[in-house]
Amino acid sequence: MKKDDLITLKIEDLSSEGLGVGKCDGIAFFVKDTVIGDVVEAKVMKMKKTYGYARLMRLIEESPDRVEPPCPVTRQCGGCQIQAMRYQAQLAFKENKVRNNLRRIGGIENPPMEPIIGMDVFNVEDAVAGEKAPAGMEVLLGAKALADGVTPLRYRNKAQFPIGRSRDGRLIAGFYAGRTHTIIECLDCLLGSKVNAWILDAVLKHMEQYGIEPYDEKIGSGLVRHVMIRVGFRTGQIMVCLVVNGRSLPHSKELCATLAAISGMTSITLNSNLEKTNVIMGKDLKVLWGTEYIEDLIGDVRFRISPLSFYQVNPLQTQKLYEKVLEYSGLTGQETVWDLYCGIGTISLFLAQKARKVYGVELVPEAIRDAKQNAELNGITNAEFYVGRAEDVLPQKYAEEVQKKCTCETEKIVGEEQERAGERIRADVIVVDPPRKGCEESVLETMVQMQPQRIVYVSCDSATLARDLKYLGERGYEVQKVCPVDMFGNSVHCETVCLLSKLNIKQHIEVELTMDEMDLTAAEKKASYEEIKEYVLEKFGMKVSHLYIAQVKRKCGIIERENYNKPKSENAKQPQCLPEKEAAIIDALKHFQMI
Ligand code: SAH
């Protein structure tokens, strides 16, 4: 087979990027714009040793899962790879993709999967739940999709439109065609809000009127690069951020006056990005009109969102996602939770309502500023946030706390102060929600050292999720449940929530004992303070401090270090272990064969 040959293929599968896969003479061909079940005539474009790429020429037989894509530019635009597929089939494809990655990359033979949580084909007016729909958003789904009831549209609360010129020199806005930087003209993406088109139209007219040039990335000249728009679905507040290759926008007052007339307009900002880069947003931000942020709600929690902060793009599914995270976290109100890659603190604050304490870690300083304000806005006082890379902050905080704890031990600091020392080391639950590349190994390593009961991993890429689950699995964390959540209907992307638990410590220790029993000398039969605490908590439902364990150990004649945990002076007041706690600790010492 060679380039330009015409071949007939039956599409049997989809690649993870959404290309149809069919075989001809044992060679797999990838064909864009096809759906599982299609029989197609395709033209060979590129041949590799064991596979090839072909272009769809003619549909010989339509798959029963094929639907008419409601978007007129779906084939050119890179965004919706599987819009031509019935929504139920999209969900099945995503569920399968997650399962396969966990199997192939994660080595989990039978992933404990829950059914994927799909989107309801919704109506924007329902989405605003009785509140007044913002201007433009009452225009609903494409008629065909609505009639079929198959394809969820208009679910995205955010869009970033590149601005440029068409071949014939007109000012245009739209989306980059798949894998290129050619702009496909499209003011009204069917996944986004209808209001986007009005805003873009106003921006383009303004540029025309005042002779403002779009940015040309090839030569790095021109001014307007992107327009970013966000809509708070529950509040109806609208944000416009103009990203420019400069420090100001000519006649911005006039543009603001036009945009401010759109009902719901809340924030208009100017973002300067002077770099020759693919990264859309620059660091500098200036408010042109209104506030710097908009607000939105997830469940009962109100969030302030700045242009530079991450906020989930599908608010209805986000609520379902966070509810799953809450369920998997198994909170009773007593737990210390770490939320890594926390953004503006959405998961942290959602969980803080049910936890004792939540610590959030996030790279973007603006997001952490939002997170702190969001905690205040909602009267949440048990959440604390740190700016920095999770791979720096977590190991550093952990090391600091271990140090603090050691100091207490060597300086014989007792009582509450000792109890407090090392508080942050305690993590009952760690939630991670990293970007596509997953967690750095140093983050995973520290997580394992912290020994949480549960890890809840939220992932937007099941391949890197599977890689990280393998690492955690090899270190004692077992996958209990996996639930895909579809946040990005019509695209190949899928979010996944995964619950891991620490292998039952009791069983774990018993197994180790039976294996090593023969060699154990009495002196080696020692359990750590954490293991004793854990045992007592699990068996008797009681919390005991290191101090109490030390007191009981001393009573029983097992003293590890001279003066360990003894009061500084004989007269010093020290809390004394209550009899029932003493009995529980003695039981633990017996269990671990220390007495
Ligand atoms: N949990 C949040 C955000 C998830 S998106 C939510 O549901 O809204 C991932 C977040 O990780 C982004 O906010 C991004 O800025 C942040 N991030 C990316 N790399 C990071 C790193 N190395 N350390 C900490 N945060 C990081």
Side-chain angles (χ1 to χ4, degrees), residues 308-312 318 321-322 339-347 361-364 367 388-391 432-435 437 440 458 495:
L308 293 173
S309 301
F310 175 90
Y311 185 65
Q312 295 283 358
T318 299
L321 178 79
Y322 291 175
D339 176 21
L340 308 180
Y341 313 89
C342 69
I344 57 170
T346 37
I347 294 179
V361 182
E362 159 66 39
L363 178 66
V364 176
R389 302 190 315 162
E391 53 271 37
V432 294
D433 185 3
K437 67 177 173 146
E440 294 281 327
V458 183
E495 201 83 6

Side-chain angles (χ1 to χ4, degrees), residues 28 76 100 210 276 290 321 342 346 379 422 429 443 453 490 524:
Q76 299 99 298
N100 283 340
Y210 295 103
K276 255 191 131 182
L321 178 79
C342 69
T346 37
V429 181
V443 174
Q453 278 301 326
N490 294 317
E524 284 169 327

Side-chain angles (χ1 to χ4, degrees), residues 271-468:
N271 177 268
S272 295
N273 184 356
L274 308 177
E275 308 286 317
K276 255 191 131 182
T277 163
N278 279 345
V279 178
I280 295 177
M281 307 285 274
K283 287 207 167 65
D284 290 340
L285 198 73
K286 200 160 84 184
V287 177
L288 296 179
W289 183 89
T291 52
E292 189 190 304
Y293 54 83
I294 58 166
E295 289 183 354
D296 198 21
L297 288 139
I298 301 174
D300 298 330
V301 190
R302 201 170 183 90
F303 292 102
R304 176 174 290 192
I305 312 149
S306 299
L308 293 173
S309 301
F310 175 90
Y311 185 65
Q312 295 283 358
V313 297
N314 182 335
L316 288 184
Q317 290 302 93
T318 299
Q319 176 148 357
K320 296 183 197 167
L321 178 79
Y322 291 175
E323 272 158 11
K324 202 34 103 180
V325 173
L326 184 64
E327 178 196 320
Y328 282 3
S329 300
L331 301 179
T332 62
Q334 294 307 311
E335 293 79 5
T336 299
V337 180
W338 280 79
D339 176 21
L340 308 180
Y341 313 89
C342 69
I344 57 170
T346 37
I347 294 179
S348 319
L349 300 181
F350 208 73
L351 299 187
Q353 301 165 309
K354 301 273 165 62
R356 188 183 72 81
K357 179 89 195 189
V358 179
Y359 298 100
V361 182
E362 159 66 39
L363 178 66
V364 176
E366 287 81 2
I368 285 293
R369 194 193 58 199
D370 285 353
K372 288 180 178 165
Q373 282 174 350
N374 288 332
E376 232 180 275
L377 195 67
N378 292 282
I380 294 172
T381 52
N382 59 338
E384 216 173 284
F385 295 97
Y386 302 112
V387 183
R389 302 190 315 162
E391 53 271 37
D392 299 332
V393 174
L394 196 67
Q396 187 196 330
K397 289 282 164 218
Y398 180 67
E400 273 171 23
E401 296 295 313
V402 169
Q403 181 61 39
K404 234 191 251 172
K405 209 166 148 188
C406 288
T407 311
C408 272
E409 286 179 11
T410 50
E411 292 182 2
K412 300 162 211 143
I413 294 169
V414 291
E416 246 182 56
E417 207 176 321
Q418 188 214 16
E419 281 276 284
R420 253 200 328 268
E423 197 181 48
R424 287 178 190 81
I425 304 173
R426 240 185 84 87
D428 300 296
V429 181
I430 300 183
V431 179
V432 294
D433 185 3
R436 301 190 68 78
K437 67 177 173 146
C439 294
E440 294 281 327
E441 202 170 299
S442 61
V443 174
L444 298 174
E445 196 185 319
T446 313
M447 281 162 60
V448 171
Q449 284 168 1
M450 290 168 86
Q451 294 283 297
Q453 278 301 326
R454 290 155 177 258
I455 295 174
V456 181
Y457 197 131
V458 183
S459 160
C460 53
D461 184 340
S462 52
T464 56
L465 167 73
R467 178 201 65 201
D468 292 350

